[in-house]
Amino acid sequence: MHLNRFSSFLVRPSIKTIAEQSGVSKTTVSFVLNGRGNEKNISAETQKRVLDIAQRLNYQPNHLARSLSMGRSYTIGFVVPDISNPFFSKIARLVEHYAEERGYSVMVASTDEKPEKEQKILTAFTNRQIDGVIIAPTTELVSSKIANLPMVNFDRNFNDKDDNFVTINNSETANQLTQKLIGKGCQKIGLVGLSSFLPNINERIDGYKEALTNNGLFINQSLIIDVNTNLIKQDVESAIHQLLKEEVDGFLFLNNVLAAEGIWLVNKHYPQLIDKIKFASFDNLDVFDYAKPKVTSALQPGDEIARNCVEMLFKQIEDKEQSGSIRLSTTIIER
Amino acid sequence: MHLNRFSSFLVRPSIKTIAEQSGVSKTTVSFVLNGRGNEKNISAETQKRVLDIAQRLNYQPNHLARSLSMGRSYTIGFVVPDISNPFFSKIARLVEHYAEERGYSVMVASTDEKPEKEQKILTAFTNRQIDGVIIAPTTELVSSKIANLPMVNFDRNFNDKDDNFVTINNSETANQLTQKLIGKGCQKIGLVGLSSFLPNINERIDGYKEALTNNGLFINQSLIIDVNTNLIKQDVESAIHQLLKEEVDGFLFLNNVLAAEGIWLVNKHYPQLIDKIKFASFDNLDVFDYAKPKVTSALQPGDEIARNCVEMLFKQIEDKEQSGSIRLSTTIIER
DNA sequence: ATCTCTTAGTAAACCGCTTTAGTATGTTTA
DNA sequence: TAAACATACTAAAGCGGTTTACTAAGAGAT
């Protein structure tokens, strides 16, 4: 055994310490501290004695030992492509909040949209015995499914079965955003998306196409651009140039990162066009509130997403019950 | 013992399983799997046999058991006021990255600037036996210091001794930002800050005052406003009204949240003034790049902050060595 | 022929908790 | 007056690892 960091001058009290000092067995101490004293017929005096001593020693349970013994760590994982993306960090905050309410802690990690990194993270987390994971996956997660880890997907999903999945009405939202642009007079709308192999992104593209068709506009494949996640800066830049060469009069960005980057580039390279072109974006950003140009955006219900994810996960962990999928509505913010 | 989630149909192999299947003791398996086979005189054949079987069974170590035994969890905590604040979430991402490089996982939590919540989080984390914590504290953390948990402070610090602390040159940066505003013709600069009991905030205020004095401008206390963290929206709104009543021609915001809120409000209530007033903000926001009005901001070196925090923490954890404080430089981005 | 070294391992304690299957004593009930 | 029951507790195994202190067998040195 290694020395732990307390042993040199201060030993963290364990239930053994309490047991010795109160003259009862470890078993009794464990029962009392877990509030099972009455159920287990421990007399009131003994219970009081144990509790007093625990308090006096400022006893804190070793959660690791507890977890090892119970096969439950009361810790969940939150795995996303990039925790510094405001969309994800807002949800992280809320997940943390709802998890804490139930005594769970949260480990986070970013996958960078890389399947190998995702796999590594999931392995590290399951080895740490997390009880479940909330994830915006980058790939199919087959091997973790096999390991039978309770899991809730959000934002995207690769399973054929729409199990344990929290998402938004992607195609409808894209349809509405496109409709707004058309309503503002746009006739030629460029779409800047990414990772079009992601189901949620595909739905967004479908919504966009639907809106065009409904309004008698052409679907022009050269106006639909798929950016490489690993080359966002460069790819968005060439997308902007290309689309403006095609003389688009509106942009639909499929997420906040693309929108922020794209708008910045239009500002930089084509300031004369900035007032003539309309912008719409999936995901809201706080700054859209005051920044120019005005951007029409789709606000995802972060709080509901987080709450549903946590609830679904706990349903799996605690009740061994699977959930179906939930599709939440976005709020279109017109500016 | 509870059944763990595998037991119904699939038992996770343990070193015991490997030991049985390879006909050696648990001890030997442990040595081999930890790469100490040669050191411990385990023959090459035995090592190969053990490793092969481990691989075939797809053995994954139970990190909890390991941690319990070793008194080390290879997990650290990252505790900030609000993980959804981009300043913190960016650092979180980097901390996660540097921690992962060394095989550590990261638990995060938000304190909401509330000391009781901070204390609860720290208790939950230490009970989970984290090896150390990187924290932007809201209070003095006396009790955790007593528990002897390796800890690195960043952004702010309440200890008299400047130990294990990563920060930026607050007063110099505030001075420079103020100077920039003056250089743009401002004569009456309103300061919107918060939590002025925080040492780092105080330094920023000092820098602001210094710049005024150096330029022969008056320090007017009624232009220095302290916002209540729990009432940011309301307080910033009244601050803006009050300062504009005083006819300020420049704003210095002491962090990104205040800046975003303040600029939005000026835009909303005083659009006619937006081009006449100059804005400067501590912390950069991506949107400052393209948003109007132009904001001069101080970019904190997130990567260096994160790297230094992680390094300092590991110095404490692994080498039992304390570090002094590091003060990093910001980059002023003029717009 | 004995002593010492090296090689190749292993038994068992331990980390701190939970839980099962008891025990011992007194109290009812038939 | 023995059997059944309730009360108040406990010993010990187990979770899955790590580590210390040994053992047993063969090789080399004296």
Side-chain angles (χ1 to χ4, degrees), chain B residues 1-2 23-25 27-28 31 40-43 46 68-69:
Chain B
M1 243 296 298
H2 277 165
V24 296
S25 69
T27 310
T28 301
F31 287 152
K40 291 291 179 177
N41 287 321
I42 311 298
S43 69
T46 303
L68 178 59
S69 176

Side-chain angles (χ1 to χ4, degrees), chain A residues 76-78 91-106 132-135 150-154 164-166 302-319 321 323 326 328:
Chain A
I76 62 174
F78 183 72
I91 292 182
R93 172 78 144 97
L94 294 158
V95 163
E96 180 208 317
H97 173 252
Y98 288 116
E100 202 215 277
E101 279 187 349
R102 309 186 186 217
Y104 279 73
S105 293
V106 182
V133 66
I134 294 174
I135 184 169
M151 172 153 21
V152 171
N153 289 18
F154 77 102
N164 304 300
F165 178 38
V166 176
D303 189 79
E304 287 201 42
I305 293 176
R307 195 159 40 73
N308 277 285
C309 283
V310 174
E311 271 171 18
M312 274 190 186
L313 191 62
F314 285 129
K315 212 170 257 173
Q316 282 182 73
I317 295 175
E318 286 168 4
D319 312 336
E321 230 176 74
S323 309
I326 277 199
L328 301 165

Side-chain angles (χ1 to χ4, degrees), chain A residues 2-42:
Chain A
H2 279 166
L3 294 180
N4 70 41
R5 69 169 167 275
F6 302 102
S7 53
S8 47
F9 56 97
L10 167 77
V11 183
R12 245 192 162 213
S14 69
I15 57 170
K16 191 177 164 202
T17 324
I18 300 178
E20 282 161 0
Q21 300 210 8
S22 51
V24 297
S25 71
K26 282 175 15 178
T27 309
T28 302
V29 175
S30 176
F31 286 153
V32 172
L33 293 181
N34 287 305
R36 302 174 61 198
N38 292 338
E39 169 199 339
K40 291 291 178 176
N41 287 321
I42 312 298

Side-chain angles (χ1 to χ4, degrees), chain B residues 114-116 118-119 137-142 153 156 158 198:
Chain B
K114 300 200 177 108
E116 326 82 63
E118 180 171 274
Q119 190 55 58
T138 64
T139 179
E140 288 176 59
L141 299 168
V142 181
N153 290 18
R156 332 91 178 249
F158 292 89
L198 292 173

Side-chain angles (χ1 to χ4, degrees), chain A residues 22 78-79 113 154 156 188 236 268 277 279 293 305 318:
Chain A
S22 51
F78 183 72
V79 179
E113 302 277 11
F154 77 102
R156 332 84 180 256
K188 206 168 177 188
V236 172
K268 183 177 169 192
I277 295 179
F279 298 89
I305 293 176
E318 286 168 4

